[in-house]
Amino acid sequence: MTYQKTLKLFQVVALGLAWMSPMIYFTVYGLAYEGSKGMMTGSYSMASAAILLTAISYIVMSKRFSSSASAYTYVKKAIHPYAGFLVGWVVLLEYIFSPVISCLTFGLYMHAQFPDIPASLWIIAINLIFAVVNIVGIKFSAGLSKIFVVVQVLFLVLFCLYLLKGMAGGAEAVAIQPLLPRGDWGISTVLTGASLVCFSFLGFDTVTTLADETINARKTIPRAILLIVVISSVMYIAVSMLTKLAFPSLSFSNADAAGFELMKLVGGAGLQSLFISVLILAVFTQGVIAVTSASRLLHVMGSDSTLPKRFFGKLHAKYKTPVNSIAVVSLVSLLALVLSLETAIKFVSLGALTAFVFVNGSVIAQMYVKEKKRSFMQTIVYLVVPLCGAGFAFWLLTLLDRTALFMGLCWLLVGAAYHLYRTKLAVPPFSKNVSLINRISVDE
C-alpha cells in the first residue's frame, strides 16, 4: 500500500509552521532575552541567517532525493547506509520527543487554567486526540494546521499593533538600534542569544517527511522549506524589533513566564487572556504535526526493514496512515507523565542539531564528491554553504550541557547494539534494500 498524495504547497507550509509553532517565540522569551541581554533582534537575525544555510542544504537534498524521512534518507543514500541508520536513530530523539513536549506543555497550561483537574488527565486526553487525528489522515491534520497557524500569525500581528499603538514618537529614527550591540554587549552576546533562539526555528525540516503524501514533492517540498524559514524569520525579527523599540529595557520576575508578563505589559489582562488561549491552540497544533512527522519517520524506517517491517511498515487499510507507528509514538508520548520539560527539550535539540550537521555533510558527499559538481557557483552551493551550515550546527551541539550529550551517547550506543542484533541474529536491515536503493531513479 502507498500513501495518498493530497498535500499542496500551502498545506505543507502550514504543517511545517504548525510543527515549529510561531507562538514558541513567547514561550522562550525570558530565556532568550536574558541570554542576549535584550539584543533579541540581532540574535534572531544571526540565527535566521545560520538556519537559512542549513535550509539550503535541505532544499538541495529534497530535490535530489524526493522520498520521505529527511536526514535519515539523505545520509543513507549520500554517505553510507550504516551512517544513515545511526543518524536516523539519533534524529528519532527530535521526532519522538516533540509530541512529549506538546503533551506536557498542554497539560501544564490546562492545569493552570483548571487547577482541580490533574495535569496527567489532560496529558492522556490530548495524547489520545493526537492519535485519532493522525489515524484519520494527513489531509485532516493539514486542515487543522492551516486554521490554527493562521490564528497564531493573526495574534502576532495583533501583538505588533498593540506595540505600535503604545510606541513613543521618534521610533523611526532609531529603527536600526535593536540590531546593534551597545556598551559592553558585543558580538559574543548576540551569538549567545542566537544559540538560544535557534530552538524557535526547529521544525522546518520536518516537512521533508511528508514527501510521499505531497503532490509534485520535488518542487513543493523545497519551496515549502524556503517559505517556512523566511516567514518565521520575518515574524521573529519584526516582533523582537518592535518590542525593543516600545520597551528599550525590560525585567521579569519569572523568566519562564516572561511571555505572560510581556502580554500584560503590552495589552493588559485582555491580551494576556487571549494569549493563553492562542498558546494552548498552538501547542495542540504542534502536537498533531509532531505525531505526524514522528510516525512517518518510523514508517519509512520500517518500510526498508531498518525497523521491523511487518509492524512499522504497515498502513491502515482505509485511511492509508501508519497506524502502528502512530500507536508507538502515542505510547512514548506518555513519558510526559514522568519527564520534565527541560529533559524533553534536550532530546529534541540534540536530535535536530545532529540532523543539521549530517544533512549539510550529505550535500558535500553527494553533490560535490560523488557527482563532482564543482563549478564556481556549484562550489559555493555544494561546498561552502553546507560547510558553514554544518559548522554552525556543530557549534550549537557543543553548547549543550554534558547531561544532554551523555544521554545522546547512550541512545546512540543502544542504536548500535540494536543494529548489531538485526544484522547478526535477524534480517539485515540494509542488505535486502541495496537493490531497491540502486533502482531508485532521481531526476537531476
Side-chain angles (χ1 to χ4, degrees):
M1 291 188 293
T2 57
Y3 288 113
Q4 295 177 343
K5 290 185 176 291
T6 59
L7 299 180
K8 298 179 181 179
L9 177 62
F10 185 74
Q11 292 172 309
V12 176
V13 171
L15 286 167
L17 287 173
W19 199 103
M20 182 183 292
S21 184
M23 292 293 289
I24 201 172
Y25 173 88
F26 296 111
T27 61
V28 300
Y29 190 87
L31 180 65
Y33 189 88
E34 292 182 352
S36 65
K37 290 184 169 50
M39 302 304 299
M40 290 181 62
T41 307
S43 294
Y44 269 108
S45 299
M46 185 72 69
S48 298
I51 291 296
L52 184 60
L53 294 176
T54 296
I56 291 172
S57 290
Y58 271 95
I59 289 172
V60 170
M61 296 307 289
S62 65
K63 288 182 178 180
R64 187 65 181 82
F65 303 111
S66 59
S67 59
S68 295
S70 190
Y72 161 69
T73 299
Y74 303 154
V75 176
K76 181 177 71 174
K77 294 179 179 179
I79 299 177
H80 191 274
Y82 185 65
F85 168 78
L86 292 179
V87 170
W89 187 263
V90 176
V91 170
L92 277 175
L93 293 174
E94 175 190 0
Y95 286 78
I96 290 293
F97 280 89
S98 292
V100 175
I101 293 175
S102 300
C103 291
L104 183 56
T105 306
F106 187 87
L108 292 174
Y109 284 137
M110 293 303 292
H111 178 63
Q113 291 295 301
F114 305 97
D116 293 336
I117 303 178
S120 58
L121 291 182
W122 291 113
I123 290 172
I124 294 172
I126 196 63
N127 193 28
L128 289 173
I129 293 174
F130 288 161
V132 171
V133 170
N134 273 275
I135 290 173
V136 168
I138 187 67
K139 189 172 182 179
F140 181 63
S141 300
L144 283 178
S145 299
K146 181 169 59 177
I147 295 171
F148 293 166
V149 165
V150 169
V151 171
Q152 293 182 63
V153 172
L154 289 177
F155 180 84
L156 289 172
V157 172
L158 177 65
F159 179 77
C160 289
L161 290 176
Y162 267 96
L163 290 173
L164 289 171
K165 180 181 178 180
M167 192 179 297
E172 297 82 357
V174 293
I176 195 64
Q177 189 176 7
L179 287 166
L180 302 176
R182 294 177 296 168
D184 296 330
W185 304 346
I187 189 65
S188 61
T189 301
V190 174
L191 287 173
T192 299
S195 69
L196 297 173
V197 301
C198 269
F199 181 77
S200 302
F201 293 91
L202 298 185
F204 74 88
D205 57 311
T206 58
V207 297
T208 58
T209 65
L210 307 175
D212 290 338
E213 296 157 277
T214 300
I215 300 172
N216 195 7
R218 197 178 301 279
K219 290 184 178 180
T220 302
I221 295 298
R223 291 174 181 173
I225 292 172
L226 185 60
L227 282 172
I228 290 167
V229 173
V230 170
I231 290 171
S232 58
S233 297
V234 170
M235 286 192 301
Y236 295 151
I237 293 173
V239 174
S240 61
M241 178 176 287
L242 289 175
T243 304
K244 183 66 173 179
L245 290 172
F247 302 98
S249 179
L250 288 170
S251 61
F252 304 103
S253 59
N254 182 4
D256 292 336
F260 293 93
E261 295 182 36
L262 181 63
M263 292 302 127
K264 189 171 184 179
L265 181 65
V266 173
L271 185 63
Q272 192 176 44
S273 299
L274 181 61
F275 167 72
I276 294 174
S277 300
V278 176
L279 188 62
I280 291 174
L281 200 66
V283 170
F284 173 81
T285 313
Q286 195 271 342
V288 170
I289 187 57
V291 173
T292 300
S293 299
S295 61
R296 268 52 178 182
L297 178 59
L298 289 175
H299 174 70
V300 171
M301 295 181 77
S303 296
D304 63 10
S305 297
T306 301
L307 295 175
K309 185 174 183 177
R310 294 182 64 180
F311 184 84
F312 289 100
K314 183 180 179 181
L315 293 179
H316 192 280
K318 178 180 179 181
Y319 298 112
K320 301 296 187 295
T321 51
V323 59
N324 289 342
S325 297
I326 292 170
V328 169
V329 173
S330 298
L331 286 175
V332 174
S333 296
L334 291 177
L335 288 174
L337 296 171
V338 296
L339 285 181
S340 69
L341 187 61
E342 181 183 5
T343 300
I345 288 176
K346 287 178 181 178
F347 274 118
V348 171
S349 297
L350 183 65
L353 293 173
T354 300
F356 292 172
V357 171
F358 279 91
V359 168
N360 282 296
S362 297
V363 173
I364 299 173
Q366 180 66 37
M367 310 302 292
Y368 195 76
V369 176
K370 287 185 178 180
E371 301 186 16
K372 301 184 187 303
K373 295 188 175 183
R374 301 173 181 174
S375 68
F376 176 77
M377 284 305 301
Q378 289 172 338
T379 298
I380 296 296
V381 176
Y382 301 141
L383 180 63
V384 176
V385 169
L387 274 177
C388 293
F392 183 80
F394 182 77
W395 173 67
L396 290 180
L397 269 175
T398 63
L399 295 179
L400 293 176
D401 60 35
R402 292 182 180 179
T403 302
L405 295 175
F406 177 75
M407 291 189 300
L409 178 61
C410 291
W411 177 253
L412 185 63
L413 291 175
V414 170
Y418 169 76
H419 181 269
L420 180 64
Y421 166 79
R422 294 281 294 174
T423 302
K424 299 297 183 182
L425 302 179
V427 179
F430 299 114
S431 61
K432 292 177 62 178
N433 295 283
V434 171
S435 60
L436 175 62
I437 295 174
N438 291 335
R439 290 200 305 269
I440 293 176
S441 175
V442 182
D443 298 330
E444 292 293 332

